[in-house]
Amino acid sequence: LKIFVSILLSQLLFLIFNTKNKIKRSMCLIDTGLLNHIKLTDVDIVHVHWFYNEVISLNEILNIKKKLVISLHDLWFCNGTFHYDPGKINIFSRFFEEYLLKRKCQKILQRDNIIFTVPSNWSKQKFIKTLKKYNTNNKQLPKIFIIGNVVDFKKNAKYSNLEDLKLIPKKEFKCLIHFEKRNNYVKAYDYLFKLLSKINNSSQFKYFIIFGNNSHNFPFKKFNNLIFYDFGFVENNQIDELYKLSNVFILTSRQETFSQLTADSIVNKTPVVAFDCSGHRELIIHKKNGFLAKKFSIDDLIKGINYFKNKKLKYISNLQHYSKKHYYKNFLNKIYDFDNFKY
């Protein structure tokens, strides 16, 4: 009941302090009592992975009398309620966001025995900048470790049961795109549509493989000169075959704290063409395993696609340290070392 009331209140406030860009939002202000059902007396460290949908409050987490690790998988700790930067918002919503963000940061800065992890240096720098902005009492900032998402290097996927594979011409240049409909602003599908419109009019590229949990709602009819092979939602253990079938993966996101799609593509030796912004650029070696286009330049994206169409390059991957085999040695033992916590 408390969670329901909290959700109801948050949705009401989001209607009042609204924004044109639809991005996940959470307040996590009301104590729901969820922690009362979890036994924490026998543990040394509590690791929290995500705040979302009012299930638990930030206060409840910060009041845990244990050493605390919080992982930032998105940018919720860099905003008042938004899980990613929302772009331009009206003055009333901005005031609301500023108030909640200041309150959030000051609560964090008052807490000892807390460590944060982030999936990229980009997200780390944004978090540090946010904490410094509201650190009016010059408190010591908490330790922040970078832990990239783990990447699976064992590729045993088989797609032989799908007849659609037989229809894809092997000798043609094929682009891979992902579409899930949600988070339109963050995933920048507006830029994807601009890119496809330009390609549709110029006939530079023709074949596109598309996947995602909402790909059946993709506006295929807008691009009548292009041929799409729609695979819809694909299980993670089968996804590799799509990367292997493709010559290049196109990512138009405005913001990615890591980008599992980028990592999966690179592991499968499919270069990634993306904008030179946010966390995914840390996975891409320009003109080696991908192409970093000028920020939000459609022409430069096309230049990147052409780059891999016209050149055969020695493939370079820098993702080995993200493998499961080395994950604990590279990351986790450094985080959970008790010397990292304040006493």
Side-chain angles (χ1 to χ4, degrees):
L1 181 60
K2 288 181 180 179
I3 293 172
F4 174 76
V5 171
S6 184
I7 292 173
L8 204 62
L9 176 62
S10 67
Q11 293 305 311
L12 176 62
L13 288 171
F14 296 158
L15 283 174
I16 297 171
F17 301 102
N18 60 8
T19 175
K20 65 177 182 178
N21 296 320
K22 301 301 178 185
I23 299 174
K24 292 177 184 176
R25 300 179 75 176
S26 306
M27 292 197 308
C28 300
L29 290 177
I30 297 177
D31 294 353
T32 63
L34 183 68
L35 282 179
N36 296 334
H37 302 278
I38 302 175
K39 187 178 180 181
L40 298 175
T41 54
D42 297 332
V43 303
D44 298 309
I45 300 173
V46 176
H47 190 161
V48 179
H49 278 277
W50 208 28
F51 288 82
Y52 183 53
N53 216 19
E54 319 307 329
V55 171
I56 198 166
S57 74
L58 178 61
N59 271 350
E60 287 176 291
I61 294 297
L62 294 180
N63 287 333
I64 293 175
K65 304 301 182 184
K66 296 287 181 178
K67 294 172 174 60
L68 185 62
V69 178
I70 299 179
S71 287
L72 279 61
H73 298 289
D74 54 31
L75 300 179
W76 186 71
F77 280 91
C78 300
N79 294 284
T81 65
F82 293 100
H83 285 263
Y84 283 90
D85 292 341
K88 291 182 179 179
I89 57 178
N90 62 62
I91 188 170
F92 299 107
S93 298
R94 190 163 64 246
F95 175 81
F96 177 68
E97 287 292 306
E98 284 282 329
Y99 170 76
L100 291 181
L101 180 57
K102 180 179 179 180
R103 183 177 181 273
K104 185 186 300 184
C105 290
Q106 289 179 344
K107 284 180 178 295
I108 291 169
L109 292 167
Q110 290 170 4
R111 163 75 200 247
D112 289 330
N113 275 6
I114 185 170
I115 283 175
F116 288 89
T117 79
V118 292
S120 62
N121 185 55
W122 174 74
S123 50
K124 176 179 179 177
Q125 295 308 317
K126 288 187 74 68
F127 186 41
I128 289 174
K129 183 178 179 181
T130 303
L131 289 175
K132 285 183 175 179
K133 180 179 178 180
Y134 297 104
N135 190 11
T136 53
N137 294 324
N138 293 319
K139 293 270 189 177
Q140 184 176 349
L141 298 184
K143 290 187 177 181
I144 305 170
F145 291 86
I146 300 172
I147 303 184
N149 295 357
V150 67
V151 177
D152 189 358
F153 285 79
K154 294 180 180 179
K155 304 301 170 185
N156 301 315
K158 289 187 178 180
Y159 242 119
S160 56
N161 61 325
L162 291 183
E163 291 296 319
D164 289 354
L165 286 181
K166 300 176 183 178
L167 301 174
I168 301 176
K170 293 183 179 179
K171 294 184 179 180
E172 296 289 347
F173 187 86
K174 299 171 287 294
C175 302
L176 179 66
I177 55 177
H178 177 256
F179 185 77
E180 63 172 20
K181 191 62 177 174
R182 296 174 300 178
N183 294 331
N184 284 355
Y185 177 75
V186 174
K187 299 299 181 182
Y189 292 132
D190 52 333
Y191 286 122
L192 175 61
F193 295 153
K194 288 178 183 178
L195 171 68
L196 293 176
S197 293
K198 198 154 193 172
I199 293 174
N200 184 66
N201 295 331
S202 64
S203 301
Q204 288 177 280
F205 310 101
K206 189 174 183 179
Y207 298 96
F208 290 82
I209 299 172
I210 181 172
F211 70 101
N213 59 12
N214 220 308
S215 62
H216 60 280
N217 286 325
F218 191 84
F220 297 106
K221 292 182 180 179
K222 289 184 177 181
F223 317 108
N224 57 338
N225 292 325
L226 308 180
I227 296 175
F228 294 91
Y229 299 91
D230 180 15
F231 285 87
F233 174 76
V234 182
E235 293 289 348
N236 191 55
N237 61 351
Q238 294 181 315
I239 206 168
D240 303 313
E241 195 67 21
L242 293 186
Y243 289 109
K244 292 173 183 175
L245 282 169
S246 309
N247 299 100
V248 67
F249 173 60
I250 301 171
L251 183 78
T252 56
S253 297
R254 284 182 172 86
Q255 302 170 47
E256 294 280 352
T257 53
F258 180 84
S259 181
Q260 199 74 37
L261 294 169
T262 297
D264 285 342
S265 187
I266 292 172
V267 165
N268 283 287
K269 295 181 167 53
T270 302
V272 180
V273 175
F275 292 126
D276 187 9
C277 63
S278 76
H280 59 258
R281 64 182 173 185
E282 296 171 31
L283 306 176
I284 298 171
I285 303 173
H286 187 53
K287 295 185 178 180
K288 299 296 182 183
N289 62 9
F291 189 97
L292 292 170
K294 295 175 184 176
K295 192 173 181 180
F296 308 141
S297 168
I298 302 302
D299 289 337
D300 217 36
L301 278 180
I302 294 174
K303 181 181 176 182
I305 299 169
N306 269 313
Y307 188 85
F308 289 106
K309 183 178 181 181
N310 299 327
K311 291 191 178 184
K312 291 183 179 180
L313 299 174
K314 182 180 179 182
Y315 179 81
I316 296 178
S317 173
N318 64 335
L319 302 182
Q320 287 298 328
H321 56 295
Y322 294 125
S323 69
K324 290 181 180 178
K325 181 179 179 181
H326 303 295
Y327 203 67
Y328 180 79
K329 182 176 69 175
N330 288 338
F331 299 120
L332 298 187
N333 65 339
K334 298 176 184 176
I335 310 308
Y336 292 123
D337 187 339
F338 273 52
D339 290 339
N340 286 320
F341 290 95
K342 300 174 185 177
Y343 287 90

